[in-house]
């Protein structure tokens, strides 16, 4: 207390607090007055949570997704704080609407509170702008594509292009889009909201609350002090709101995070639920009429709300005398609700959309799992490079594609590896070994083609089956025993392949031994050093990778090439 | 002003309301604040792992007693980024009595990079003039302890060095 006295003497803190708290609520404390206070609470909570998120989030196109995934999946309670911020924005939208409806119901927009009403509407718009700008920040598929639609709309209205370019920081999405959205979301909008809130609250204090439409003496008789009577209800409502938010956050395990933004993909973009009505409206107005849904109708609704204090010409604020205004606002809300419901129902019955959502969830889960290892500095979709198969593909592209083709890409200096040593590949090779698909561009192009006179297609198929049976234990399990037997007979008795090719492992011939040919182990030997005597010997041209790549890398490449057999 | 002429809200009832406001208010503040403690102070379960042995080159590169400066590279995970093959630090390596000896280049005083002066045959720190003998002992200046020796491993003619950072400014050699 002595400390408080000391402080009060120097700051007047007691009288300031009294000034803030001591106010009469004519007609008594009421639950329907709580919405404004709940909004103040939610805004403050969003600010605290936003600052906490900024301790880990990094606003650049290369870092945004990876830092969000890190924050969400690795930092202690990161998922909870991010989830609370995410659901908190939904709560703000809901409570803004409830607040507005209570103000309309009470007739609080009427003279002399017009300016309070307008600052309120502006704050409502700012809440929506928060939601829009925040949605993009994780730079995931959902935010990226949904925001594309929003800025696309901006650019499609007459004269809107410069504005689109301004918020995007150029003609397309990139680092500048993210830094701009970030600056708007964490600096411009909070400062604007705080400023408007100050005006809003001062005006509220100036005019006082709009009491129920009761006779003056009754209002006076029922008057209660703001502190503690109304404030208790306010704080109780905040606590209910916070409990719902915490429950929702725990139940959903925080906010979703989709796979990193990929401009080359097609994603089933949907806006956040409170923008679905605009999304749905857009479906009814196409082509030149689009502007009706994007500007004219929303603009008309906003203008109606702004003009409400003048539209309402009734003498009293009694509900009976204001039916036209009340039904106007009611109709507006009903329209928004109906459009939202239709949008949800349509998506629910849209199979390709549901399928897309499922795929998006699967991709998100994979990306986030891979992100736990850390994402390469190029960021975003590079997270998929952590996938072992993708690593091997990248290795192939660097080391092998300079000579070998795979999936139609690469050079033809060496045999194509698409379908490598599949039955089809082997049969085609035996018929025309000097084709560029096989050994045509290499030094070991000395093998003679096997013509149809020497062996029919059916005989060739039997020999190929025999070769497959030699290529290792796993391949041997899939062969047809009778065909293999016939192939072996042809090999032994009729064909002349064995004059160059040995069938014994390690045995040297004019051509490579066919024992184990095409198995991962055999391919790994080729990658290490294809000039071994039982392989390609002196005609080998492929670089030896034994020293360049690690054992694991060579084995992964061998597995990868061996698995190209499957179509 | 706020007399509450209704009669019903007596002082006792108001006291309860005030208590309620205080309790609920604390609860509201706790919702973001409690998780924020873990979030800010203990962000991830494990704290910076053990230093690893990093390849430093061929044994033959370090013949002779003149220290050679080696840069050590490894893949580095920095929060959400994983960068392949980044320079993590460097060390001085020299041969003493046939065995390899490595010293961190981080000055134990306040962390400047220690240099080698071939004329004086001493390690010298450019910042506050600490000087160290070839065995790492302090010969001059404010350094509170000798140069930090790093573990060396030799295998098949290849050298690997375990890169560890130690606390600066204290007499004890403690890893950070
Ligand atoms: C972030 C958004 C907003 C915040 C933080 C906020 C906050 C507040 C607070 C604390 C009050 C006093 C308590 C009350 O009567 O409920 C208030 C009153 C008021 N607000 Fe808001 N408000 C917001 C948005 C709006 C919106 C969207 C509108 C309407 C379009 C609006 C219109 C009003 C009016 C007319 C009053 C006076 C109420 C009366 O006289 O009974 N506010 N606001
Ligand atoms: S940092 Fe080396 S002497 Fe001060």
């Amino acid at each position: 207390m002595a400390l408080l006295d000391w402080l009060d003497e120097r700051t007047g803190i007691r009288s300031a607090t009294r000034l803030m708290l001591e106010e009469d609520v004519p007609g008594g404390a009421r639950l329907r007055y709580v919405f404004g206070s709940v909004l103040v609470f939610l805004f403050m909570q969003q600010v605290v949570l936003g600052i906490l998120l900024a301790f880990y989030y990094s606003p650049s196109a290369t870092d945004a997704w990876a830092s969000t995934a890190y924050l969400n999946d690795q930092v202690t309670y990161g998922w909870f704080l991010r989830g609370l911020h995410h659901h908190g924005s939904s709560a703000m939208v809901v409570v803004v609407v409830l607040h507005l409806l209570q103000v309309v119901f009470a007739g609080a927009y009427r003279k002399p509170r017009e300016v309070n009403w307008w600052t309120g509407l502006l704050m409502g718009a700012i809440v929506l702008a928060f939601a829009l700008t925040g949605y993009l920040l994780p730079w995931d598929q959902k935010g990226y594509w949904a925001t594309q639609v929003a800025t696309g709309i901006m650019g499609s209205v007459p004269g809107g292009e410069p504005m689109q370019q301004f918020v995007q920081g150029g003609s397309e999405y990139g680092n500048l889009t993210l830094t701009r959205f970030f600056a708007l979301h964490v600096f411009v909008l909070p400062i604007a909201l705080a400023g408007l809130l100050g005006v809003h609250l001062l005006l509220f204090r100036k005019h006082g609350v709009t009491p129920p439409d009761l006779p003056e003496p009754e209002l006076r008789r029922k008057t209660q002090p703001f502190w503690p009577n109304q404030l208790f209800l306010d704080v109780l409502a905040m606590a209910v709101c916070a409990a719902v938010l915490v429950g929702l956050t725990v139940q959903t395990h925080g906010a979703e995070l989709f796979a990193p933004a990929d401009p080359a993909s097609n994603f089933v973009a949907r806006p956040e639920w409170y923008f679905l009505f605009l999304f749905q409206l857009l479906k009814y107005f196409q082509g030149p009429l689009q502007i009706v849904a994007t500007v004219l109708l929303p603009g008309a609704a906003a203008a109606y709300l702004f003009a409400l204090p003048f539209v309402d010409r009734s003498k009293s604020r009694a509900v009976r005398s204001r039916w036209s205004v009340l039904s106007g606002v009611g109709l507006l809300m009903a329209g928004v609700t109906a459009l939202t419901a239709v949008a949800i129902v349509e998506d629910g019955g849209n199979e390709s959309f549901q399928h897309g959502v499922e795929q998006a969830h699967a991709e998100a889960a994979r990306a986030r799992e891979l992100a736990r290892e850390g994402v390469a500095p190029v960021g975003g979709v590079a997270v998929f490079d952590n996938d072992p198969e993708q690593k091997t593909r990248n290795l192939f592209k660097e080391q092998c594609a300079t000579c070998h083709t795979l999936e139609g890409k690469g050079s033809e200096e060496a045999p194509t590896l698409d379908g490598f040593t599949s039955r089809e590949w082997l049969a085609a090779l035996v018929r025309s070994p000097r084709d560029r698909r096989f050994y045509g561009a290499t030094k070991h192009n000395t093998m003679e083609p096997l013509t149809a006179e020497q062996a029919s297609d059916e005989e060739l198929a039997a020999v190929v089956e025999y070769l497959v049976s030699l290529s290792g234990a796993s391949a041997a399990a899939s062969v047809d025993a009778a065909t293999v037997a016939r192939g072996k007979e042809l090999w032994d008795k009729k064909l002349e392949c064995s004059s160059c090719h040995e069938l014994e492992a390690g045995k040297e011939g004019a051509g490579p031994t066919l024992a184990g040919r095409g198995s991962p182990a055999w391919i790994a030997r080729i990658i290490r050093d294809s000039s071994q005597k039982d392989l390609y010997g002196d005609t080998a041209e492929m670089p030896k990778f034994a020293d360049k790549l690690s054992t694991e890398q060579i084995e992964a490449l061998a597995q990868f090439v061996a698995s190209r057999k499957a179509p | 002003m706020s007399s509450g002429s209704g009669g019903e809200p007596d002082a006792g009832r108001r006291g309860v309301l005030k208590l309620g406001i205080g309790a609920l208010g604390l609860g509201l503040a706790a919702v973001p604040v409690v998780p924020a403690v873990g979030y800010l102070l203990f962000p991830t379960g494990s704290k910076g792992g053990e230093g690893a042995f990093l390849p430093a080159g061929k044994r033959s590169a370090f013949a002779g007693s003149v220290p050679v400066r080696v840069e050590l590279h490894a893949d580095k995970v920095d929060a959400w980024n994983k960068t392949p093959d980044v320079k993590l630090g460097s060390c001085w390596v020299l041969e003493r009595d046939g065995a390899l000896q490595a010293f961190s280049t981080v000055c134990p005083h306040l962390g400047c990079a220690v240099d080698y002066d071939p004329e004086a045959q001493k390690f010298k720190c450019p910042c506050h003039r600490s000087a160290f003998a070839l065995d790492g002992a302090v010969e001059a200046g404010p350094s509170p302890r000798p140069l930090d020796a790093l573990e060396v491993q030799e295998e098949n003619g290849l050298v690997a060095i375990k890169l560890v950072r130690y606390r600066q400014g204290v007499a004890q050699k403690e890893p950070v």
Side-chain angles (χ1 to χ4, degrees), chain B residues 34-103:
Chain B
V34 171
V37 173
Y39 177 84
L40 293 176
L41 299 184
F42 314 100
T44 53
S46 61
K47 190 61 201 117
E50 268 277 278
F53 279 98
L54 305 176
K58 294 208 167 88
R59 173 66 176 86
S60 52
F62 307 111
S65 60
V66 179
V68 180
R69 198 183 145 107
V70 191
E71 284 170 353
L72 298 173
H73 294 248
D75 294 356
K76 178 174 185 174
V77 175
D78 179 4
W80 54 84
N81 274 149
K82 181 178 64 182
T83 317
D85 206 27
V86 281
K87 208 187 282 179
L88 289 186
S90 55
C91 58
W92 289 106
V93 183
L94 69 163
E95 196 172 20
R96 303 189 69 243
D97 310 325
L100 285 186
Q101 165 91 64
F103 292 115

Side-chain angles (χ1 to χ4, degrees), chain B residues 105-114 124-132 140-144 168:
Chain B
T105 57
V106 181
C107 178
H109 179 222
L110 290 170
C112 288
V114 173
K124 287 189 175 164
C125 180
C127 290
H128 317 100
R129 300 202 192 141
S130 285
F132 306 88
S143 178
Q168 296 152 15

Side-chain angles (χ1 to χ4, degrees), chain A residues 24 52-53 55-56 58 63 66-67 70 74-77 81 84 224-225 227 232 235 238 242 373-377 386, chain B residues 1-2 5-6 8-9 13-14 17-18 20-21 24 28 31-32 35-36 38-40 42-44 77 79-83:
Chain A
D24 281 341
L52 286 172
L53 294 181
F55 271 76
Y56 291 97
S58 172
D63 284 346
S67 64
Y70 177 76
Q74 293 192 62
V75 177
T76 315
Y77 296 130
L81 296 171
L84 213 52
Q224 285 179 324
W227 160 259
F232 178 75
V235 176
M238 294 175 197
E373 287 174 37
V375 181
N386 289 349
Chain B
M1 246 181 103
S2 57
S5 42
E8 135 264 5
R13 199 183 110 105
R14 281 202 207 146
L17 292 185
K18 287 178 187 175
I21 292 173
L24 289 173
L28 289 178
V31 169
Y39 177 84
L40 293 176
F42 314 100
T44 53
V77 175
W80 54 84
N81 274 149
K82 181 178 64 182
T83 317

Side-chain angles (χ1 to χ4, degrees), chain A residues 32-43 92 95-97 99-104 106-110 113-127 130 193 197 200-201 203-205 207-211 226 230 234 305:
Chain A
R32 65 181 170 88
Y33 299 153
V34 301
F35 301 119
S37 303
V38 173
L39 278 173
V40 173
F41 156 69
L42 281 173
F43 177 52
M92 275 197 88
V95 183
V96 160
V97 171
H99 182 44
L100 182 146
L101 291 180
Q102 125 70 15
V103 165
V104 169
Y109 53 87
R110 288 157 60 93
R113 298 186 179 85
E114 297 93 332
V115 180
N116 211 0
W117 168 252
W118 291 328
T119 52
L121 282 182
L122 285 177
M123 284 194 286
I126 288 178
V127 168
F130 264 118
L193 188 63
L197 183 57
H200 197 71
L201 291 181
L203 288 173
F204 172 70
R205 286 303 291 269
H207 299 299
V209 76
T210 305
F226 173 77
Q230 180 63 43
D234 289 354
L305 288 177

